[in-house]
Amino acid sequence: MASNTLLRPCLRTKSSLSSAQTPFTALRPALSSRIPQTQLRSYKQYKVPDSEIPVPSVSGKTGVAGLEIPPYPFGERQFYKQSNRGLYGSARIRFGNVVSERNEIKTRRKWRPNVQNKRLWSESLGIMVRTRVTTRVLRTIDKLGGLDEYLLGSKTGRIKDLGPWGWMLRWRIMQTPKIKERFAREREALGLPLLKETQSDGQLEADMQSVVLGTGIPAHDVLAETDRMLKGDQEFAIGEEDTLSEEVKEDEFMKEVDPRKS
């Protein structure tokens, strides 16, 4: 019986399996301890030069006590959840059929997006940002001229394509002096009041001493005058004043005009 069990391991009983161990089963615990366990970890980012705020982690931690990232307006994606931790755009797993040419037999299959692990250069941060990104988003970044231009898109479709991870990167680059100066120049060109950051609560509040549209009038005076006119039911003059007199207006009101003479 012993010779048969050595030649045919399938004939062994439970007692013989528990008592006798082959060299492979003896080495099994040591081999399992050496095999690394694959876990979903956050990106190991570079340190931002001349800044105490690091690149946030994919879990939403800023690395600074008391500093929080505004919530993503569209929330986390419930389908294809790994896109919450990368720049996937609107890519998802697509499902379909493979149809044979001869018998037209349908076989279910799926198409996964082409996702790459890349290091993308951020001009405002001055470092390479590690992220998972699809090839379609890579083409969009190259077309726009860099990662910062892609993250700073203000349209609703772009905000949806960013996802939670792209929203965190967008928030981080908006804390840099380069992006703040860029927004200040844009506000000045549009005639909007400048913004200043208070050191007490860290929020942005409008500087009401700034002028409106280059007229030299403080913004709070314009708002006060507008409120006064609205409460007094006064009429607003829009555009240039009409130079025609009231008599001319009454004479030309409902006057028939011959199109052949005009």
Side-chain angles (χ1 to χ4, degrees):
M1 184 67 182
S3 60
N4 292 334
T5 55
L6 290 176
L7 295 177
R8 302 178 64 183
C10 59
L11 298 178
R12 297 179 183 177
T13 59
K14 294 183 179 180
S15 59
S16 61
L17 288 175
S18 60
S19 59
Q21 289 186 352
T22 61
F24 178 77
T25 56
L27 294 176
R28 186 175 298 172
L31 292 175
S32 61
S33 61
R34 295 178 183 178
I35 299 175
Q37 301 295 329
T38 58
Q39 298 179 358
L40 188 58
R41 301 178 181 178
S42 59
Y43 307 113
K44 186 177 180 182
Q45 304 289 355
Y46 296 99
K47 184 178 180 181
V48 181
D50 301 331
S51 178
E52 297 180 355
I53 306 177
V55 178
S57 62
V58 291
S59 60
K61 297 180 180 179
T62 60
V64 179
L67 189 62
E68 297 181 357
I69 302 176
Y72 183 52
F74 299 100
E76 291 191 355
R77 297 167 177 173
Q78 301 301 323
F79 302 97
Y80 198 43
K81 294 187 177 180
Q82 67 172 329
S83 62
N84 294 324
R85 301 193 174 190
L87 300 177
Y88 283 55
S90 58
R92 291 184 180 180
I93 300 178
R94 296 182 299 166
F95 298 89
N97 299 320
V98 176
V99 184
S100 63
E101 297 181 358
R102 182 174 181 179
N103 299 322
E104 296 185 357
I105 299 175
K106 296 182 179 180
T107 305
R108 294 293 292 175
R109 64 154 297 179
K110 54 187 174 183
W111 292 268
R112 295 182 180 272
N114 189 359
V115 183
Q116 305 291 331
N117 293 322
K118 292 293 183 180
R119 295 183 303 166
L120 304 178
W121 173 255
S122 174
E123 187 67 27
S124 59
L125 296 176
I127 59 173
M128 302 290 288
V129 179
R130 299 178 185 270
T131 180
R132 284 195 293 266
V133 59
T134 60
T135 53
R136 173 174 289 185
V137 175
L138 274 178
R139 288 194 296 269
T140 306
I141 292 174
D142 292 339
K143 180 180 179 180
L144 296 176
L147 177 63
D148 295 349
E149 301 299 329
Y150 175 78
L151 296 176
L152 292 176
S154 58
K155 293 185 178 180
T156 306
R158 177 60 52 80
I159 301 298
K160 287 184 178 180
D161 289 344
L162 290 180
W165 169 239
W167 177 260
M168 298 175 193
L169 292 179
R170 174 189 173 95
W171 171 86
R172 179 60 190 90
I173 67 175
M174 291 178 67
Q175 311 306 314
T176 58
K178 290 184 179 180
I179 302 301
K180 290 182 178 180
E181 293 176 2
R182 173 179 172 178
F183 286 165
R185 290 193 300 267
E186 292 179 356
R187 294 183 67 87
E188 184 178 359
L190 295 174
L192 300 176
L194 301 178
L195 300 177
K196 63 180 181 180
E197 186 173 358
T198 57
Q199 310 232 347
S200 58
D201 53 359
Q203 298 178 354
L204 296 178
E205 60 181 11
D207 187 5
M208 301 307 293
Q209 300 299 328
S210 60
V211 297
V212 177
L213 297 178
T215 58
I217 304 175
H220 58 83
D221 293 345
V222 176
L223 294 177
E225 181 68 17
T226 305
D227 293 338
R228 185 183 63 80
M229 296 179 69
L230 289 173
K231 291 180 181 179
D233 295 333
Q234 298 184 12
E235 296 181 356
F236 290 86
I238 302 176
E240 298 181 356
E241 296 182 358
D242 197 350
T243 57
L244 297 177
S245 61
E246 296 295 335
E247 297 179 358
V248 176
K249 291 181 180 179
E250 292 178 0
D251 294 341
E252 294 183 355
F253 180 70
M254 295 294 293
K255 182 180 179 180
E256 295 183 0
V257 179
D258 190 354
R260 293 173 296 180
K261 296 181 179 180
S262 58

